[in-house]
Amino acid sequence: MPVYAKNRQIVVPGELIAETNRYEVEGKIYRKNKKIYSKVLGVVFIDEEKRNIRVLPLKGKYIPNEGDIVIGKVIEVGLTNWTVDINSPYLAVLQVTEVFSKPTQISRTELSKILDVGDIIIAKVISFDYTRDPLLTIKESRLGKVSRGIIVEIPPSKVPRIIGKKGSMVNMLKNMLDVEIVIGKNGRVVVIGKDPAKEEIAVLAIKKIEREAHTSGLTDRVKAFIEEKLKELGEKS
Amino acid sequence: MKKEGIRLFNDEGKRTDGRYPNEIRPVRIEAGVLKNADGSAYIELGNNKILVAVYGPHEAVPKYIAEPDKAVIRCKYSMAPFSVSDRKSPQPSRREIELSKVIREALEPAIFLNEYPRTMIDVFIEVLEADGGTRTASITAASVALADAGISMKDLVTAIAVGKAEGKLIVDLNGLEDQYGEGDMPIAIMPQYNEVTLFQADGIFTPEEIEEAFRLASEAIKKLYNEQKKALKKKYEEVIKEVNQTE
């Protein structure tokens, strides 16, 4: 019962990956007649030690999941709620009760003073079950409105690459460039730094990670890339 | 049906464009050609030039067409006014509306629609130049565009037409053969899944001919399927190559 795909191979929908039950298989796959096929245009990761095969998509829309941190944009102010675009097929809803911890009485005009159309928020998905639109909260710490910084949009499937193994990639960016980075599961990344030039390098680095997400040895290449850019920056000033 | 004085084969048994009966026209497929669409593809099959853009899955508009348990597909096939030798009116014709439906139904079985409830997937097919067999080329390109958009699918869909001219079966009809031949049979297949998603026939075929047509079609579809796969992987494999070179 062989495995047909190689590690890090790019597969198209319907491509045969394996015919085996000795591996644990997860991700975007489907089974037919005991054979395992890919569902998407993606990359196969095979871990021989853990006996695990994963198929990760290269593109695709964000599907909300309970507990995800997302970065949204307010697109409508309602009577008791805000409608938020979270870069997904489903529009999210932020209720007034999920903004204040105490019961409050406010009118519609006041609602737009707190969050207005076009505001960017960091929020958490509290519930989603496909039958109703996802609900958001900003009551917890580190959630809420983003007042400065740069937003980068990447395919949501590449978010794990930006984070790296146990946060190695994002921590490297943070330390090397002295910036704060918030990553939304929906593929939006906020970069906040004191130095605009360094902010820009961080954005370029994220774009590089996105483009080369399916290759190996990425962390080292990104490190070299940032060092080079920082040197250029040093020469200029 | 046969018109006097028009020959679709020469003395050597070759067709009007120099092909053998079981030969398809030169094909070129490219994926991800449009930046603003979620997925896109461009196909050149002989003189056919077709551009496909896929948007979604996104919120269903108007809202009442949303299905509670699956995504709906909206497919629009349209021919550019300059796609044929006489100017084509830009208004959607009866034929275009019918083809939109036929193409949608050929694509639907390949997509995991229940993964995206209450949403909608838009498929826009724009024929820039037409020379016979646009519906099959459109299906081939549209499935590449859907995969390029990252939509979950059982398989790609690949399509080709088999027809009859002067009593002989021919694969991948061009405009002339479509017009003066004795029959046209577009076939769409999911090559790995081995299921037929579209089968139409215009003209008179014997059961043996239909069987033979399927055999010819699956041969041609194998070639097209490889092109589809190559097109989808190309963009990402180029990055891998580039990275390996710099190291």
Side-chain angles (χ1 to χ4, degrees), chain A residues 10 12-15 28 30 32 39 41 59 61 89-91 130-133 211-212 214 221, chain B residues 38 57 59 112 115-119 148 152-155 192-193 229 233 236 239-240 242-243 247:
Chain A
I10 294 162
V12 300
E15 200 164 331
K28 290 278 190 175
Y30 72 91
K32 192 195 168 199
K39 252 186 193 181
L41 176 62
K59 257 175 147 185
K61 293 262 167 146
Y90 307 98
L91 286 176
Y130 287 102
T131 55
R132 260 175 286 157
D133 284 334
R211 211 173 89 86
E212 299 175 10
H214 56 289
R221 271 205 311 285
Chain B
D38 292 316
E59 225 190 335
F112 284 97
E115 254 183 51
Y116 312 102
R118 296 195 296 131
T119 64
D148 182 53
S152 295
M153 293 163 84
K154 284 187 193 122
D155 198 353
Q192 295 289 316
Y193 215 69
K229 255 167 64 169
K233 292 182 181 181
Y236 300 100
V239 174
I240 295 180
E242 190 191 302
V243 165
E247 265 172 15

Side-chain angles (χ1 to χ4, degrees), chain A residues 96-138:
Chain A
V96 172
T97 51
E98 294 299 336
V99 176
F100 305 102
S101 34
K102 287 174 198 160
T104 38
Q105 263 212 325
I106 37 174
S107 66
R108 192 176 181 278
T109 45
E110 281 173 71
L111 223 58
S112 63
K113 271 180 201 156
I114 304 155
L115 283 173
D116 205 356
V117 172
D119 282 353
I120 303 293
I121 57 166
I122 300 169
K124 191 169 153 186
V125 180
I126 42 175
S127 78
F128 178 63
D129 63 355
Y130 287 102
T131 55
R132 260 175 286 157
D133 284 334
L135 292 176
L136 299 180
T137 182
I138 56 168

Side-chain angles (χ1 to χ4, degrees), chain A:
Chain A
M1 286 186 280
V3 177
Y4 298 104
K6 290 194 242 21
N7 191 21
R8 284 184 190 274
Q9 187 189 327
I10 294 162
V11 288
V12 300
E15 200 164 331
L16 183 60
I17 292 171
E19 199 182 338
T20 173
N21 45 21
R22 291 186 301 137
Y23 284 81
E24 205 179 303
V25 191
E26 53 185 338
K28 290 278 190 175
I29 56 115
Y30 72 91
R31 285 162 209 270
K32 192 195 168 199
N33 299 338
K34 288 186 183 166
K35 288 180 185 165
I36 298 155
Y37 298 88
S38 171
K39 252 186 193 181
V40 288
L41 176 62
V43 187
V44 188
F45 291 93
I46 304 171
D47 192 331
E48 289 289 349
E49 280 169 32
K50 289 182 192 159
R51 295 252 150 219
N52 175 296
I53 299 176
R54 267 187 313 160
V55 178
L56 295 181
L58 283 160
K59 257 175 147 185
K61 293 262 167 146
Y62 170 68
I63 302 295
N65 223 327
E66 256 171 62
D68 282 357
I69 302 289
V70 294
I71 291 160
K73 187 175 157 194
V74 178
I75 55 167
E76 203 182 311
V77 184
L79 285 172
T80 59
N81 61 12
W82 291 268
T83 309
V84 185
D85 162 43
I86 53 166
N87 196 22
S88 156
Y90 307 98
L91 286 176
V93 178
L94 178 66
Q95 301 280 3
V96 172
T97 51
E98 294 299 336
V99 176
F100 305 102
S101 34
K102 287 174 198 160
T104 38
Q105 263 212 325
I106 37 174
S107 66
R108 192 176 181 278
T109 45
E110 281 173 71
L111 223 58
S112 63
K113 271 180 201 156
I114 304 155
L115 283 173
D116 205 356
V117 172
D119 282 353
I120 303 293
I121 57 166
I122 300 169
K124 191 169 153 186
V125 180
I126 42 175
S127 78
F128 178 63
D129 63 355
Y130 287 102
T131 55
R132 260 175 286 157
D133 284 334
L135 292 176
L136 299 180
T137 182
I138 56 168
K139 259 200 292 202
E140 287 168 36
S141 67
R142 289 208 260 169
L143 302 181
K145 194 168 149 183
V146 180
S147 45
R148 59 197 185 87
I150 305 177
I151 285 202
V152 196
E153 266 193 29
I154 56 164
S157 57
K158 287 176 182 170
V159 163
R161 259 328 224 167
I162 304 279
I163 297 170
K165 271 191 191 121
K166 286 175 190 152
S168 60
M169 186 74 87
V170 70
N171 285 334
M172 183 181 79
L173 288 180
K174 281 181 188 169
N175 296 335
M176 285 181 82
L177 295 163
D178 189 27
V179 288
E180 190 52 47
I181 297 175
V182 183
I183 302 167
K185 274 269 171 70
N186 57 342
R188 286 194 183 132
V189 182
V190 178
V191 181
I192 310 163
K194 285 173 198 122
D195 186 350
K198 282 184 179 171
E199 256 182 4
E200 221 161 88
I201 297 174
V203 172
L204 288 175
I206 291 168
K207 293 255 164 158
K208 187 181 168 69
I209 299 168
E210 183 222 316
R211 211 173 89 86
E212 299 175 10
H214 56 289
T215 63
S216 50
L218 188 56
T219 316
D220 295 334
R221 271 205 311 285
V222 172
K223 194 175 177 187
F225 173 80
I226 295 173
E227 274 165 359
E228 191 189 319
K229 287 279 170 191
L230 280 175
K231 214 168 116 195
E232 273 174 37
L233 194 71
E235 278 164 11
K236 260 185 230 161
S237 58

Side-chain angles (χ1 to χ4, degrees), chain B residues 71-105:
Chain B
V72 284
I73 298 179
R74 186 165 61 180
C75 182
K76 190 177 172 242
Y77 167 98
S78 81
M79 287 174 91
F82 50 81
S83 62
V84 279
S85 49
D86 297 322
R87 175 182 178 273
K88 192 211 148 282
S89 155
Q91 271 173 11
S93 62
R94 196 217 92 246
R95 182 178 167 275
E96 282 173 284
I97 295 165
E98 181 197 321
L99 282 191
S100 300
K101 174 189 173 285
V102 163
I103 292 169
R104 193 192 76 228
E105 287 176 353

